[in-house]
Amino acid sequence: MERLERRLGLLSALPIGILLLLSFVMPLLLVAGFAVMPQKVFELAHLPDFSSFAVIWEQGYYKSLLRSLGLAFLTTVILFLVSWPLAYGMAKVFGRFTLVITILVVLILFVSENIRLFGWSLSLMKGGLLEGYLRAWFGFSFETPLYDWPVIVFGMCYVYFPFMLFPLAQGISLVPDDARLAASDLGASPARILFEIEMPLAAPGIMVGCLLTFVLSAGAVAEAKLLGGRSVIVLTDDVESAFTFGQNWPLGSALSLTLIVIVALLALVPISRIDLDAIMGRKR
Amino acid sequence: MAAKPFVQIENVTKRFGRFTALDRINLDISEGEFLTIVGPSGSGKSTLIRLLVGIDDVTEGTISLNGTRIDTMPANKRPTCMVFQSLALFPHMTVGQNIEFPLKLRGVAPADRRTRAIELLALLRLPESYYGKRISQCSGGERQRVALARALAFDPQIIVFDEPLSALDYRLRKTLEKELKDLHARTGKTFVYITHSLEEAMVMSDRIAIMRSGRFEQIATAEEIYSRPISRFVASFMGEVNLFPVTGRADGTPDWPAGAIGARPGALAVAPGWTGVLMVRPELVRFLDAGQAADFTLSGTLTAEYALGSRIQYSVDTAAGLVTVERPFETRLTAPVGTPVTLGWDRAAVHLIAEAADGTA
């Protein structure tokens, strides 16, 4: 019986397994393969060569890597702070109204990210929707916030908001009401309850939300391009140029691989510590 | 007893929207008392203790502790502590951290916290090795003890219990009931306990308050509630009792609307027009042999026999309805089911409950 269940399990996992192998593992291996190819050679038969990684350091590409990670970190922190109250409300306070918020947030996802970002770009540009109308109606003008890093962070917060909100709400819903009441009864102030009861018990949701937003923001392309207008060079820009204008595939691959490894390391630590079953509601 | 009660609940009303959960409740609790509030679901007992510890706010009325009003204080400032039905232990903390939580909030040094936690573990008969255990590694009874230890660590003036034993199996519940009573004696704290089981209340309490639809029906010692319930509700709440409706005839003799019961002349005087029920406990009803007499007699047919372990219970179908008789198992009848029997009991076994004509107390 148990063997049958195991066989069925393996069989059920087979389709997605093959898909992941082809669409996830293969490209990764390809990237890894290209990353250790000597530069400007493009031949498959060669010994591993790490000169591309040296270039990352020598030509200052690590700066855009740090910039990407920094912006992603900032986005994650801001999103966490902004989403927590709403997520809390959705999990504990709003009741049926939660569904309305969920639908509204999900609805946004139906419009392509690029179109939404273009919308912001058109709204915020000099002579655009906002500034243009303000100038025409009130004679009030302001410099466009576009083409600088804060607007990139804003764009990423805007785009990745649902990826923080829903895991957080799920995490907070894992906090038993009684635990909160008991803590208060035992003398805990609301701040102590937040830090010592609610946040630790919602930790799986917090981790999933933060990881999703961090990983997505670190690899984001469109925000920097459409809102930042290439005035801020993030790592993904470098990767793209290396593969296109630069025709330096080894460099592009090495940059990608570096980002992948750093993000994977950052992600593995929390993932190994959280209980995904708890998030999915199979326990407690 | 001192003039000023320890806890004074005065005219407390709690409304949820248009629903009145508590209706002008008055209750005094003395220091060191073990008071149990008993009532069916929805009687308002949980609401009352939630008001006491500050989880909910009173709509009207006041709650005072040692002469100081506490109903306006937030929950985290009140010297009360509740043991939740769910126990509400913190699953992300160890047993030790759970117990130390209230001490940590007060800024007690880690070494002192640990000492106190280990003292409390010992008081609750948990080995010291449990200090570092996860809550998920503890059994139901152990969790119960951890929750108690945590409440004691808080050192509240009153500990309130919200049916903490209801989820446990029968044997464990019986053990913990006794432990709780013992703990009450050793700590000298004021315990307010709620349950829907009068049996549980009887084991532990100094006083029992019976609640019904947001009001107290009767507040008395276990002995008094057992032998002199104030209403049919209280009487029936405590398990199987025999209740016979009685009214007073013009000449002061009893009349039995539900079916005649033989009463020795002069055994029961009832004022003319009086309405109520006559209560007699199953263990006080006897089977009469031919020639034996009793103040009250009733004949019928033995219809069923139930063994209850140390006792045995009989159902007898009579003109006044089904009557329950209970006696020690050793005195089991030899007569089979279907045998005609005569039941009898004495005036001393009888308790009269007055009722309004419509059946309410």
Side-chain angles (χ1 to χ4, degrees):
Chain A
M1 192 62 204
E2 202 177 310
R3 272 190 57 193
L4 179 72
E5 270 175 22
R6 273 183 69 140
R7 283 229 314 265
L8 278 177
L10 280 176
L11 274 175
S12 317
L14 203 57
I16 189 72
I18 291 171
L19 189 71
L20 281 177
L21 202 68
L22 290 176
S23 65
F24 181 71
V25 180
M26 291 285 285
L28 270 182
L29 289 176
L30 273 177
V31 165
F34 277 127
V36 293
M37 199 156 76
Q39 289 200 306
K40 294 169 185 151
V41 176
F42 213 91
E43 58 169 25
L44 287 171
H46 60 82
L47 288 171
D49 172 290
F50 294 96
S51 58
S52 299
F53 291 95
V55 169
I56 292 179
W57 180 253
E58 284 157 11
Q59 299 190 9
Y61 283 108
Y62 65 90
K63 284 183 200 154
S64 53
L65 173 68
L66 288 178
R67 204 173 290 131
S68 273
L69 294 176
L71 292 179
F73 179 74
L74 197 60
T75 304
T76 310
V77 171
I78 292 173
L79 264 184
F80 174 72
L81 295 177
V82 170
S83 305
W84 179 275
L86 184 61
Y88 195 95
M90 286 171 71
K92 296 288 182 193
V93 188
F94 299 152
R96 274 184 305 176
F97 190 57
T98 296
L99 188 64
V100 178
I101 296 178
T102 307
I103 291 171
L104 285 178
V105 174
V106 169
L107 221 53
I108 300 172
L109 294 174
F110 288 1
V111 181
S112 144
E113 179 188 332
N114 284 358
I115 291 174
R116 282 184 285 141
L117 286 173
F118 260 123
W120 276 114
S121 178
L122 290 175
S123 305
L124 294 174
M125 71 201 292
K126 183 97 183 159
L129 205 60
L130 264 177
E131 197 262 350
Y133 270 109
L134 278 175
R135 190 151 39 96
W137 287 348
F138 309 108
F140 170 78
S141 179
F142 62 89
E143 275 310 305
T144 172
L146 288 176
Y147 321 127
D148 202 356
W149 65 267
V151 80
I152 300 179
V153 173
F154 167 77
M156 293 200 288
C157 285
Y158 165 70
V159 168
Y160 300 122
F161 172 60
F163 298 93
M164 178 65 93
L165 182 69
F166 293 128
L168 267 193
Q170 186 67 34
I172 294 169
S173 70
L174 294 177
V175 181
D177 290 342
D178 276 358
R180 213 177 62 239
L181 292 176
S184 163
D185 189 37
L186 291 167
S189 62
R192 296 295 288 258
I193 296 175
L194 175 67
F195 288 116
E196 304 206 20
I197 307 296
E198 287 173 332
M199 285 188 32
L201 287 176
I206 295 175
M207 282 189 190
V208 169
C210 289
L211 268 181
L212 276 178
T213 41
F214 183 80
V215 170
L216 289 170
S217 324
V221 187
E223 291 79 8
K225 214 182 252 178
L226 297 178
L227 301 177
R230 289 197 174 258
S231 62
V232 180
I233 302 297
V234 292
L235 187 77
T236 43
D237 287 324
D238 284 339
V239 173
E240 198 187 355
S241 334
F243 273 108
T244 53
F245 313 126
Q247 281 299 310
N248 191 345
W249 288 25
L251 176 63
S253 302
L255 285 169
S256 306
L257 198 64
T258 312
L259 183 64
I260 290 169
V261 167
I262 289 175
V263 168
L265 285 179
L266 286 175
L268 274 178
V269 179
I271 279 189
S272 63
R273 294 190 55 185
I274 59 169
D275 189 350
L276 275 176
D277 278 345
I279 276 269
M280 308 292 277
R282 281 194 290 251
K283 271 194 203 163
R284 287 186 212 171
Chain B
M1 206 160 292
K4 202 81 179 160
F6 186 57
V7 180
Q8 198 168 21
I9 297 172
E10 279 179 299
N11 282 317
V12 165
T13 296
K14 175 66 183 175
R15 280 188 283 269
F16 296 101
R18 290 172 62 191
F19 174 69
T20 305
L22 291 176
D23 187 13
R24 285 161 291 144
I25 287 282
N26 283 290
L27 177 67
D28 291 346
I29 305 169
S30 32
E31 190 161 10
E33 185 175 5
F34 197 137
L35 175 86
T36 303
I37 302 171
V38 187
S41 313
S43 57
K45 56 189 194 304
S46 293
T47 306
L48 180 60
I49 61 167
R50 286 167 80 92
L51 297 183
L52 190 58
V53 299
I55 292 173
D56 284 327
D57 292 325
V58 298
T59 311
E60 281 159 30
T62 59
I63 302 174
S64 319
L65 176 75
N66 262 338
T68 322
R69 270 186 76 169
I70 59 165
D71 57 284
T72 46
M73 283 183 197
N76 58 359
K77 300 273 193 300
R78 289 190 200 188
T80 55
C81 187
M82 173 143 136
V83 176
F84 286 70
Q85 185 164 23
S86 67
L87 302 180
L89 291 169
F90 307 132
H92 60 298
M93 299 185 191
T94 61
V95 167
Q97 285 169 330
N98 262 281
I99 299 174
E100 288 178 12
F101 185 73
L103 302 173
K104 190 178 160 196
L105 292 175
R106 269 179 221 154
V108 178
D112 299 342
R113 293 200 306 246
R114 197 192 150 91
T115 313
R116 181 72 183 132
I118 286 169
E119 269 172 35
L120 285 166
L121 281 176
L123 181 69
L124 273 303
R125 301 204 179 89
L126 282 171
E128 197 178 320
S129 61
Y130 272 63
Y131 182 84
K133 267 203 180 187
R134 296 233 141 248
I135 295 300
S136 55
Q137 293 172 297
C138 297
S139 71
E142 287 160 1
R143 286 177 201 202
Q144 200 76 52
R145 294 189 178 97
V146 175
L148 260 167
R150 187 178 69 180
L152 288 169
F154 180 69
D155 197 25
Q157 307 249 31
I158 314 165
I159 304 187
V160 174
F161 299 83
D162 184 7
E163 302 199 45
L165 304 183
S166 59
L168 301 174
D169 65 71
Y170 183 80
R171 264 181 55 189
L172 187 55
R173 202 162 68 226
K174 291 288 140 198
T175 314
L176 287 172
E177 279 170 11
K178 286 176 187 153
E179 273 185 33
L180 211 54
K181 185 174 182 172
D182 185 39
L183 190 74
H184 174 249
R186 275 186 289 158
T187 57
K189 293 258 176 223
T190 308
F191 281 21
V192 177
Y193 191 98
I194 73 165
T195 176
H196 56 263
S197 156
L198 193 65
E199 198 190 341
E200 198 168 293
M202 297 248 174
V203 175
M204 301 185 290
S205 330
D206 297 323
R207 256 187 335 153
I208 296 172
I210 309 258
M211 263 194 125
R212 177 192 196 182
S213 321
R215 307 221 56 172
F216 285 120
E217 190 88 353
Q218 185 170 13
I219 306 174
T221 61
E223 198 276 327
E224 190 166 339
I225 286 201
Y226 187 75
S227 52
R228 287 185 296 282
I230 204 167
S231 66
R232 192 196 282 248
F233 175 80
V234 175
S236 60
F237 203 80
M238 23 194 330
E240 283 159 298
V241 289
N242 298 305
L243 297 170
F244 305 104
V246 190
T247 54
R249 287 206 186 99
D251 61 357
T253 56
D255 187 25
W256 311 94
I261 293 174
R264 178 183 289 169
L268 186 67
V270 188
W274 188 89
T275 309
V277 286
L278 178 147
M279 182 193 95
V280 57
R281 309 214 133 269
E283 64 272 23
L284 300 175
V285 180
R286 305 188 308 258
F287 289 102
L288 297 182
D289 295 330
Q292 270 187 317
D295 290 343
F296 298 88
T297 52
L298 189 57
S299 52
T301 317
L302 198 59
T303 56
E305 176 188 87
Y306 310 100
L308 304 176
S310 62
R311 292 160 304 150
I312 189 156
Q313 207 179 66
Y314 295 96
S315 264
V316 179
D317 195 12
T318 72
L322 270 186
V323 177
T324 308
V325 184
E326 206 176 289
R327 51 200 300 183
F329 195 84
E330 303 86 80
T331 62
R332 189 176 184 175
L333 293 184
T334 48
V337 165
T339 314
V341 289
T342 306
L343 302 174
W345 61 91
D346 294 325
R347 177 65 183 95
V350 160
H351 172 64
L352 284 173
I353 302 167
E355 281 181 340
D358 60 357
T360 55

